[in-house]
Amino acid sequence: MREVEYPAIAVLEDGEELDVGTGGKLQVPALRGVAYRAPFLHDGCAATLLDVHGKVQVVVDVWVADDRIFVVTPPSMAQKTAEALDHYLFSEKVAITDLSAETALLVLVGPQAHETAERVAGARPGEAVWSHVVGKLGEAPVRLVSGGRETGQAEVWIVAAASEASRLWDTLIAAGARPIGRAAFESLRVEAGTPVLGRDVDESVLLPEIPFANLVSQTKGCYPGQEVVVRIRDRGHVNRMLVGLLLDATAPGGADAVPDGAEVLADGAGVGRVTSATWSFGLEQPIALAFVRRQHAAAGSRVAVRVGERELSASVSHLPFALAPSRA
């Protein structure tokens, strides 16, 4: 397999360690019979909370354990998510606990991620997304979760007590994992077409405007915003879509020059805005995520990105971006 060069790291040959920061983590003791009432969860799923207008309030990952449900939120969103969940509690005997300060979260990324996790913790989660098992780091329990490929690669998320973070880090390094930097992570994330809450997605975004197949069950019962989501699916369309942009600039600095919020143009008229831009190490050119009006969102459409007094030409791309076979 070809190894793609990243700054001071390489991400494809071994399972590697990606520190995604301490995300919010809620612990919700599971109700008896949850597997029956929520069969779509199984081991877990990605999910979203919407408002009544179908707009995204938060995106979470849900892991179902024997006696509790873990809800993993973006950083700083734990309290808001807890309040939203509490709003829908009526007679259920449920306690919601914010575990953010007590929890460390690291992610192994790459083809050897599962093998490396098994060597380190003595357990291996299933290959299915969000499958999870409990392993041990010495005598300390850790939870190993097969990630949602938000980097476009195989992932194992490792959750441990915050007090074990340094030992977990050192153990993974000793097992052959290599840390990756923010630039490398951004390249992987944007190549995979993974939007970030608060940057690519905020409370102004309708769920159908972003790739959302993994965030909603089409057979689930009523939920806030369902009427809007189903109406758009069955009878209409959204006016804009989150798409990829392949910028024609060839120097790595070309991506740095594109700020979040940069205007996207078609025939000189504004048709959207950039939400994230980065250098793609897999494609060897600048790429971006952007909201673009539906009429210009087809793959291959030619647009431009306004940066100060300049206009950088670009092509619209499907998400995820198509990488070379050795990277896909």
Side-chain angles (χ1 to χ4, degrees), residues 19-189:
D19 181 359
V20 298
T22 302
K25 189 161 178 283
L26 303 177
Q27 177 176 291
V28 184
L31 299 176
R32 189 176 180 84
V34 68
Y36 168 74
R37 286 193 315 246
F40 58 95
L41 282 178
H42 302 295
D43 283 333
C45 65
T48 182
L49 295 175
L50 307 178
D51 68 9
V52 295
H53 305 292
K55 294 184 177 180
V56 178
Q57 305 302 294
V58 68
V59 177
V60 300
D61 300 314
V62 181
W63 309 334
V64 181
D66 291 338
D67 62 345
R68 66 202 61 212
I69 297 173
F70 296 99
V71 181
V72 183
T73 78
S76 77
M77 291 294 292
Q79 183 61 37
K80 178 179 179 180
T81 305
E83 292 171 356
L85 292 173
D86 186 69
H87 178 74
Y88 294 104
L89 294 180
F90 296 99
S91 61
E92 299 91 346
K93 295 181 179 179
V94 173
I96 300 175
T97 307
D98 185 352
L99 301 179
S100 302
E102 307 169 24
T103 306
L105 172 62
L106 298 175
V107 180
L108 286 166
V109 178
Q112 303 302 314
H114 286 76
E115 179 183 320
T116 303
E118 186 173 18
R119 288 203 315 271
V120 167
R124 183 180 185 130
E127 298 292 331
V129 170
W130 305 128
S131 298
H132 53 92
V133 296
V134 175
K136 283 193 172 182
L137 183 66
E139 294 302 313
V142 295
R143 187 170 296 274
L144 311 170
V145 185
S146 289
R149 300 183 67 90
E150 296 176 356
T151 59
Q153 307 289 313
E155 301 167 355
V156 176
W157 297 30
I158 306 180
V159 181
S163 59
E164 298 294 330
S166 295
R167 182 156 71 111
L168 177 58
W169 178 276
D170 292 341
T171 302
L172 290 170
I173 296 298
R178 290 167 288 174
I180 72 173
R182 183 171 296 277
F185 171 68
E186 275 295 282
S187 180
L188 290 168
R189 176 185 76 81

Side-chain angles (χ1 to χ4, degrees), residues 180-201:
I180 72 173
R182 183 171 296 277
F185 171 68
E186 275 295 282
S187 180
L188 290 168
R189 176 185 76 81
V190 178
E191 287 171 355
T194 302
V196 167
L197 191 75
R199 186 174 181 187
D200 305 293
V201 179

